[in-house]
Amino acid sequence: MTVALPASLDPARLAHLALPLHRGSGGSGEIEVRMPFTGAVLTRLPETSVEQVGEAARIARAAQKSWAASAVASRAAVLQRWHDAVLGAADDLCDVVQAESGKSRRDAFEEVADVANTLRYYGLVAERMLEPKRRHGVLPLLTRTVELRHPHGLVGVISPWNYPLTLAAGDAIAALVAGNAVLHKPDSRTALTTLMVRELALGAGLPAGVWQVVVGDGAVVGPAVVGLSDHVVFTGSTATGRIVAEQAGRRLIGADLELGGKNPMIVCADASLARAVEGAVRGAFSSAGQLCLSIERIYVHRSVAGEFTARFAAAARKVKLGAAFGYRYDMGSLVGPAQLAKVQAHVDDAVARGASVLAGGAPRTGLGPYFFEPTVLTGVPSTATCFATETFGPVVSVYPVDTDEEAIAAANASEFGLNAAVYSRSVRHARAIAERLEAGTVNINEPYAAAWGSVDAPMGGVKASGIGRRHGRDGLLAHTWAQTIAAQRLWPVGEHGPLRGRVYQRLMTAGLKTLKGLRRP
């Protein structure tokens, strides 16, 4: 099958995008970037050697000094211009995201909108969040205490292929506006997306040196990035996240890790089934299920389980699959052969152990080499691989439950805790359930986008789904270290002059009691 490339991705344009990559005699060769729609080679990129990673780090550190010395308002202004550039280049960005990841146009634009949303947010609030903060001193009026925030220096970002724009630019934005330089290793399969959005950032005024991009084998280049950084942000599998955390821990640097998920959705007896079905389709099949926040297991109250499951399966069968640089199709391709093999193995294993396939269950190679049908399973036993293991594909299992308590217990019976969804006509009812779910984000009457898109609020996982948070104040301050400066006026804090021994003890005791009575923190 052939799919014509849009003009934005002609060979000369792709070669131009690759120019910032470090190359030279130390490189070990070239990396083929293949287009999932067809499996054909899209372009080739020079592979970065470990030595070249070191050179990139040196360039970034040199550039970071003047970038950090600039006013936060100036850095935020770059973000606001970058926001406009991203929206202005929406079609080109969608083209490269689709070409590298195989997702539908709708899902590609979701990434563009998300990055613009993040740029707008931090462009408007970073100055306020990073300004010096007055803190209560130990002695009121006599102690003036201020909290300052300093950038770490060099932040290592290791981003995955599944959301190549959102997870590349999103973490770089917060690190950069905080005054850091970024040493970035995107997945080699989707590095062009990073290079395109970086190009837009440079056009908006970002100094070229402060965002360095390297590509290569994750097992080689990834540890080099972690080993040279002052803080690291990693998005990927739990297994690799543990390795990154261990390496960061040995170096005593911080690590923010968004890892795997086996995300549940609860459909209550009083839910709007039309809305729940729409949410289940979008939550399970967006980006062909290759979304960390994807819904992979649905717990439905038995009183509505039959109707919900029938309607959901029918809706899944109506999802339009195809390869096109436009809005003709609802769902695109899996990213490559390994992902296709994993999805097929999970479905085959479940069926072999007694599960039923209500929709999908098979590849659609007539559309392209890595397409797989939206798949709805029921009767999946606990012995099946996909019962507890993340599939990361368009496969979801439906389970009837008798009570909310049973649904909550089942949803929490997982090593993961990234995202969840609750559907009910009563927000109060849904919120009561949501508060008991062990997940970093919970959406009510929405599968994932409400919490993710609320960038003023922190986002991240618990349990094996990771540590740290992106978005909001937490996501920005994670890229800084805190310094407390306390200036003492007139009297020292400890014993002095006649205020010694028992006299000092009585005075301090009376003072502490008074502060409590005045409700002074």
Side-chain angles (χ1 to χ4, degrees):
M1 179 180 180
T2 60
V3 177
L5 285 178
S8 61
L9 297 178
D10 65 54
R13 172 65 168 140
L14 299 182
H16 173 76
L17 284 176
L19 287 176
L21 292 172
H22 289 262
R23 63 193 73 208
S25 58
S28 57
E30 289 186 325
I31 297 168
E32 288 185 342
V33 178
R34 292 185 176 270
M35 188 164 65
F37 283 159
T38 64
V41 175
L42 183 63
T43 190
R44 291 176 173 84
L45 301 176
E47 188 170 21
T48 308
S49 69
V50 171
E51 291 76 19
Q52 290 163 349
V53 176
E55 176 61 20
R58 286 190 289 275
I59 293 171
R61 285 193 181 279
Q64 187 265 339
K65 297 183 186 303
S66 57
W67 175 245
S70 64
V72 179
S74 298
R75 302 197 296 262
V78 171
L79 265 59
Q80 295 184 47
R81 293 192 296 270
W82 188 7
H83 164 277
D84 296 343
V86 164
L87 292 179
D91 284 334
D92 288 356
L93 287 168
C94 285
D95 289 343
V96 72
V97 169
Q98 284 195 275
E100 291 193 301
S101 69
K103 64 179 60 183
S104 72
R105 192 69 164 192
R106 179 196 69 185
D107 294 332
F109 179 71
E110 185 176 72
E111 295 198 52
V112 174
D114 175 69
V115 168
N117 191 35
T118 304
L119 284 165
R120 173 193 54 79
Y121 173 73
Y122 281 127
L124 294 174
V125 306
E127 187 175 12
R128 172 172 52 81
M129 287 185 176
L130 294 171
E131 67 183 0
K133 298 291 192 298
R134 286 286 302 273
R135 299 302 183 193
H136 293 287
V138 59
L139 296 180
L141 303 180
L142 300 182
T143 311
R144 183 183 178 89
T145 304
V146 179
E147 175 193 335
L148 303 181
R149 287 284 172 170
H150 299 283
H152 291 298
L154 182 61
V155 172
V157 175
I158 302 175
S159 59
W161 51 263
N162 62 314
Y163 269 67
L165 181 57
T166 282
L167 297 175
D171 291 324
I173 289 165
L176 290 167
V177 78
N180 298 283
V182 169
L183 180 60
H184 189 172
K185 185 217 165 301
D187 190 287
S188 300
R189 287 168 286 188
T190 53
L192 289 171
T193 300
T194 295
L195 293 167
M196 183 177 284
V197 75
R198 177 185 179 273
E199 184 178 72
L200 295 173
L202 302 191
L206 182 74
V210 299
W211 188 357
Q212 296 292 304
V213 180
V214 297
V215 297
D217 183 357
V220 176
V221 177
V225 169
V226 178
L228 292 166
S229 300
D230 303 312
H231 184 83
V232 64
V233 182
F234 170 82
T235 305
S237 71
T238 296
T240 305
R242 294 185 195 278
I243 296 171
V244 172
E246 182 180 357
Q247 185 182 0
R250 286 197 302 268
R251 296 193 56 236
L252 297 179
I253 65 171
D256 295 318
L257 312 171
E258 187 200 298
L259 309 177
K262 189 70 177 176
N263 306 300
M265 172 173 158
I266 295 174
V267 181
C268 300
D270 64 345
S272 163
L273 294 189
R275 190 166 181 181
V277 167
E278 184 278 331
V281 169
R282 192 155 41 87
F285 307 134
S286 289
S287 293
Q290 299 167 125
L291 167 61
C292 300
L293 307 176
S294 282
I295 299 300
E296 293 200 7
R297 48 199 178 110
I298 302 177
Y299 302 101
V300 191
H301 195 278
R302 196 174 300 276
S303 64
V304 295
E307 183 180 358
F308 169 85
T309 304
R311 292 169 66 170
F312 178 39
R317 289 190 290 268
K318 291 179 182 178
V319 173
K320 293 188 293 183
L321 278 68
F325 289 92
Y327 287 94
R328 291 173 56 193
Y329 301 109
D330 302 319
M331 193 180 100
S333 170
L334 293 169
V335 74
Q339 207 62 26
L340 177 66
K342 180 182 179 181
V343 170
Q344 184 71 74
H346 277 210
V347 173
D348 290 347
D349 172 75
V351 171
R353 296 177 185 275
S356 298
V357 178
L358 299 190
R364 292 285 297 277
T365 52
L367 301 175
Y370 314 126
F371 281 83
F372 199 91
E373 296 173 331
T375 300
V376 179
L377 303 176
T378 59
V380 176
S382 60
T383 55
T385 303
C386 71
F387 181 84
T389 302
E390 183 179 37
T391 301
F392 219 62
V395 178
V396 60
S397 304
V398 181
Y399 306 88
V401 293
D402 292 310
T403 64
D404 290 346
E405 291 295 325
E406 184 182 352
I408 294 167
N412 288 340
S414 171
E415 66 171 326
F416 299 109
L418 187 58
N419 181 56
V422 182
Y423 278 75
S424 169
R425 293 182 190 273
S426 167
V427 172
R428 178 179 295 182
H429 179 199
R431 191 181 300 277
I433 293 173
E435 291 173 356
R436 297 175 59 192
L437 295 179
E438 296 167 357
T441 56
V442 183
N443 297 263
I444 293 174
N445 296 325
E446 162 63 34
Y448 66 88
W452 174 270
S454 298
V455 291
D456 190 42
M459 184 274 159
V462 297
K463 300 191 288 188
S465 289
I467 56 176
R469 293 292 183 267
R470 55 165 57 98
H471 292 170
R473 179 179 173 84
D474 290 10
L476 180 60
L477 297 188
H479 295 289
T480 68
W481 57 273
Q483 181 183 45
T484 297
I485 299 177
Q488 191 65 23
R489 300 172 60 243
L490 302 177
W491 297 92
V493 176
E495 292 182 312
H496 61 282
L499 301 179
R500 295 182 180 278
R502 185 68 65 179
V503 173
Y504 175 75
Q505 178 181 329
R506 285 198 296 267
L507 181 63
M508 285 300 295
T509 299
L512 291 169
K513 288 181 177 180
T514 300
L515 290 175
K516 179 177 180 291
L518 295 173
R519 304 187 67 80
R520 286 290 301 267

